[in-house]
Amino acid sequence: MILFLYLYNKLHFSSSYITPSQALKSFKEHQTVPPTTKRDEVTDKRVDTTTPRKVPPQACVTGRNFDKEKEWAAIIEESGRKTSQKSQERAEHVKQMMVHAWTGYKKHAWGANELAPISGNPHSGIFSGTRIGLTIVDSLDTLYTMGLFEEVQLGKMWLKENLTSHLNVSVQVSVFEFNIRFVGGLLSMFALTNECEYRDLAVLCADKLLPAFETPHGIPVAHIDLKHGLNTRFTNFGNAILSEFGTLHLEFFYLSHITGEFKYRNLVENIREKVTKANVNGLYGNHFSINTAKYMSSNLAVSLGGAGDSFYEYLFKSYLQSGKTDTHALKLYFDAMEAIIKEGLLQTSGGGLRYFGMKHTGLSHSAQRRMEHLACFIGGVIGLSAEYSKNQTATLQLAEDIATTCHESYVRAASGIGPESFEFDTSKGDAVSAGGDSGYHMRPEVVETWFFLSRVTKDRKYREWCWDFIKALDKYCKVKDGYVGLHDVYLRRTDSKGEPLKEDVQQSYFMAETLKYLYLIYKDESLLSLDSWVFNTEAHPLPVLHPFS
């Protein structure tokens, strides 16, 4: 993606379109030299970071920080004054969507992980066997961003009274999901409020994950027992998924920053070292051996969708989080994207839509003419990276082309909402689900790209696209006590009443991501400015660190 920025650089072509071969040629003109050593943030001396070290933790406030709330309320008010009346009304509409979803959760599933709005029952979600308030943790920074401070306090009180004991259960949880949602959500709330309780709970959650790293090369296992940690008798750990073990960096680095404990950042720096050392011709496969810290075969499965996506996202965002000093991360990102382009994953359909295909079955096969909703995030990342390109016009064009392709997957569906995956050059046309998953599972990636491109380009069309999506959500996904997904965005599957068949679960990430991005796109960019904040892959904002430590 970013690589495209540079890929376009040297060419100085007049057309906005660039071929993959041109991109590769241009990219090779760019050189970024990674730092060979690291500096201690206290002494500013070059040090070996393999040994855990400590610096004084960040000072914080115990209890409710009313001063921060007043400060945030003023920012929200000011950001509203800087936008049009129509945008203010739309932002308020999204805020009421959040209130509707949150109220249903409070009424029927308080403390549970998620809500089943149609039946009015709690839903355990991805953390089956637990009752650890997933929706609370995922929703708090969205509520705070909207100025719903009393609702935040209700959630905080539940977490203070229950989370520690509720985590003391013998249940296997995903290290990746627990990190991006719980560690990320709690760190975000600490960054927004500077309240000590959020930091302490984030440390509690992160420490629950530490046994996952007790493997031969420090590559974490996919799941951990919340009570007992890692089964040390189990020695054959198998493969790890790139997008899972490669999506810990932002949270663990910030955790070291606020606690003074270097052990967290050392763990993720080790992951970066191991995985980048093992790349195959610049490519990173979706599956990585925990036992050997190598790829089992050179015939890698590569994708910017599921199993790959957030690894590339975090390489670029690590650079942003560092205050643009982690040039090593930036170079790794460029190199990875160069290799992806060379493999032909960037394609153009017969209808002229540009998209990233997948090689889920290995490099020896042609890229599939299919794009996942998950991969639509990449348009936003490319757009954010355009600032660092010698040819910003071409780079932004690529970003907007991807955004347009994902938009087409929405407008070509009867519901106005895009499917989980969509194909190209089919008998039914482009950007349509032709035999794949045609459901809408409340995912945020398309809106995410529209939000970032709205901030970067100032183009109003992204706000209009979001408003069309909001109207579709209200029409097809809103129920009495919340919002739900659809089994078929083409409205071919109906219930006994002839209504579109709905999925009875309100995903916590709908409140963490989808509604946050929809709200922010109608507010002035001073609210969670991209100069000061970096969003983790669950849309939990973490601060840019100046200076990076």
Side-chain angles (χ1 to χ4, degrees):
M1 326 158 180
I2 292 192
L3 69 68
F4 283 110
L5 338 172
Y6 291 82
L7 319 185
Y8 300 145
N9 290 345
K10 175 114 184 209
L11 300 178
H12 303 297
F13 45 82
S14 58
S15 170
S16 63
Y17 177 76
I18 180 171
T19 66
S21 59
Q22 289 173 318
L24 284 172
K25 179 180 178 182
S26 178
F27 175 81
K28 292 178 179 178
E29 298 297 322
H30 176 75
Q31 295 291 331
T32 302
V33 180
T36 57
T37 58
K38 304 190 184 302
R39 287 191 179 273
D40 176 85
E41 45 276 36
V42 177
T43 65
D44 198 39
K45 295 179 179 179
R46 296 291 182 180
V47 296
D48 176 6
T49 59
T50 58
T51 304
R53 299 168 58 255
K54 294 183 67 174
V55 295
Q58 178 177 320
C60 55
V61 175
T62 300
R64 186 171 181 177
N65 193 339
F66 287 98
D67 289 340
K68 277 288 186 181
E69 290 182 8
K70 292 178 182 177
E71 176 185 328
W72 196 256
I75 293 173
I76 295 172
E77 182 179 0
E78 179 65 18
S79 71
R81 283 200 297 264
K82 292 179 178 179
T83 58
S84 66
Q85 181 64 32
K86 180 168 70 172
S87 289
Q88 292 180 49
E89 292 172 355
R90 290 178 174 181
E92 180 61 28
H93 182 93
V94 177
K95 181 178 178 179
Q96 293 309 311
M97 293 172 72
M98 182 67 183
V99 170
H100 178 68
W102 176 253
T103 300
Y105 171 75
K106 287 198 302 180
K107 180 180 179 181
H108 296 291
W110 186 243
N113 291 334
E114 291 172 330
L115 166 69
I118 297 174
S119 59
N121 294 318
H123 189 274
S124 62
I126 60 171
F127 298 120
S128 180
T130 68
R131 188 181 177 88
I132 51 180
L134 172 60
T135 290
I136 295 175
V137 176
D138 253 352
S139 298
L140 286 184
D141 56 12
T142 303
L143 293 168
Y144 198 89
T145 300
M146 295 177 174
L148 297 167
F149 303 125
E150 297 307 320
E151 300 301 326
V152 170
Q153 289 305 307
L154 290 176
K156 181 183 178 182
M157 184 63 66
W158 188 92
L159 293 175
K160 287 177 59 179
E161 295 177 352
N162 298 283
L163 187 58
T164 300
S165 61
H166 285 212
L167 288 176
N168 190 33
V169 293
S170 182
V171 173
Q172 294 277 324
V173 299
S174 163
V175 172
F176 162 73
E177 296 287 0
F178 196 75
N179 173 65
I180 65 171
R181 299 182 189 223
F182 278 86
V183 180
L186 292 165
L187 287 175
S188 179
M189 284 305 297
F190 175 74
L192 291 167
T193 68
N194 199 37
E195 293 172 5
C196 302
E197 295 88 344
Y198 289 119
R199 179 199 63 193
D200 295 343
L201 288 173
V203 169
L204 168 71
C205 291
D207 286 351
K208 289 283 186 181
L209 301 180
L210 296 185
F213 295 83
E214 297 172 4
T215 61
H217 299 277
I219 304 300
V221 295
H223 294 83
I224 199 76
D225 187 291
L226 285 176
K227 186 173 185 178
H228 301 297
L230 184 66
N231 186 344
T232 57
R233 294 174 298 176
F234 188 59
T235 58
N236 184 15
F237 298 104
N239 287 334
I241 296 175
L242 182 66
S243 64
E244 294 187 352
F245 74 84
T247 308
L248 300 163
H249 205 98
L250 298 183
E251 297 82 5
F252 274 48
F253 249 63
Y254 182 51
L255 197 57
S256 283
H257 183 82
I258 64 176
T259 64
E261 294 279 359
F262 278 36
K263 63 183 179 183
Y264 303 109
R265 86 180 225 179
N266 288 343
L267 290 170
V268 293
E269 283 182 332
N270 173 69
I271 291 174
R272 179 190 287 184
E273 177 186 352
K274 293 295 193 301
V275 71
T276 55
K277 184 178 180 180
N279 76 80
V280 178
N281 297 323
L283 290 167
Y284 297 90
N286 292 346
H287 302 96
F288 191 71
S289 173
I290 296 176
N291 295 315
T292 65
K294 296 179 180 179
Y295 289 108
M296 302 301 292
S297 169
S298 61
N299 189 29
L300 305 178
V302 178
S303 170
L304 288 176
D309 49 8
S310 50
F311 168 76
Y312 304 97
E313 175 189 0
Y314 270 40
L315 279 182
F316 176 61
K317 288 184 176 180
S318 293
Y319 171 69
L320 297 181
Q321 182 191 47
S322 73
K324 304 176 184 178
T325 63
D326 188 0
T327 55
H328 188 206
L330 192 61
K331 182 182 186 301
L332 292 173
Y333 182 70
F334 291 151
D335 290 347
M337 293 308 301
E338 175 188 357
I340 285 176
I341 294 177
K342 186 176 180 180
E343 278 299 319
L345 269 67
L346 176 63
Q347 301 189 359
T348 302
S349 74
L353 295 180
R354 302 176 79 186
Y355 66 97
F356 282 97
M358 304 177 294
K359 289 196 173 184
H360 274 171
T361 55
L363 299 179
S364 61
H365 297 81
S366 299
Q368 296 170 272
R369 295 179 178 180
R370 178 166 65 94
M371 188 170 180
E372 295 175 333
H373 194 288
L374 286 167
C376 284
F377 85 95
I378 201 62
V381 175
I382 296 171
L384 289 173
S385 70
E387 178 183 348
Y388 314 102
S389 171
K390 296 177 184 177
N391 193 327
Q392 296 185 17
T393 300
T395 302
L396 279 177
Q397 185 62 56
L398 174 62
E400 296 203 76
D401 285 349
I402 297 298
T404 296
T405 295
C406 295
H407 178 249
E408 287 299 312
S409 77
Y410 275 52
V411 298
R412 298 183 187 196
S415 63
I417 301 173
E420 179 72 358
S421 65
F422 40 96
E423 290 79 40
F424 300 86
D425 298 318
T426 72
S427 60
K428 297 181 180 180
D430 288 340
V432 295
S433 180
D437 187 345
S438 62
Y440 165 64
H441 308 311
M442 311 188 81
R443 295 199 187 279
E445 291 80 16
V446 173
V447 170
E448 176 183 349
T449 275
W450 296 346
F451 162 70
F452 284 123
L453 287 180
S454 176
R455 286 279 179 99
V456 171
T457 69
K458 320 301 180 191
D459 193 327
R460 296 177 181 272
K461 72 181 179 184
Y462 297 110
R463 291 183 174 185
E464 296 305 316
W465 289 359
C466 282
W467 186 244
D468 290 339
F469 173 53
I470 288 168
K471 291 187 291 185
L473 284 174
D474 284 342
K475 182 175 182 179
Y476 294 109
C477 300
K478 185 177 182 179
V479 294
K480 179 182 177 182
D481 290 306
Y483 286 86
V484 296
L486 296 173
H487 280 283
D488 179 30
V489 298
Y490 303 104
L491 307 181
R492 298 167 299 192
R493 301 178 63 185
T494 58
D495 59 20
S496 59
K497 299 180 181 179
E499 295 292 323
L501 197 59
K502 298 177 174 64
E503 299 176 343
D504 191 14
V505 58
Q506 181 172 269
Q507 301 284 353
S508 70
Y509 55 71
F510 177 74
M511 302 162 81
E513 303 184 68
T514 307
L515 293 182
K516 184 184 286 107
Y517 288 131
L518 287 174
Y519 179 75
L520 289 174
I521 200 171
Y522 297 115
K523 306 294 284 189
D524 181 74
E525 60 187 25
S526 59
L527 186 62
L528 288 177
S529 167
L530 299 184
D531 292 330
S532 302
W533 298 90
V534 175
F535 292 81
N536 87 339
T537 200
E538 190 79 1
H540 294 307
L542 301 174
V544 171
L545 305 179
H546 299 295
F548 189 52
S549 62

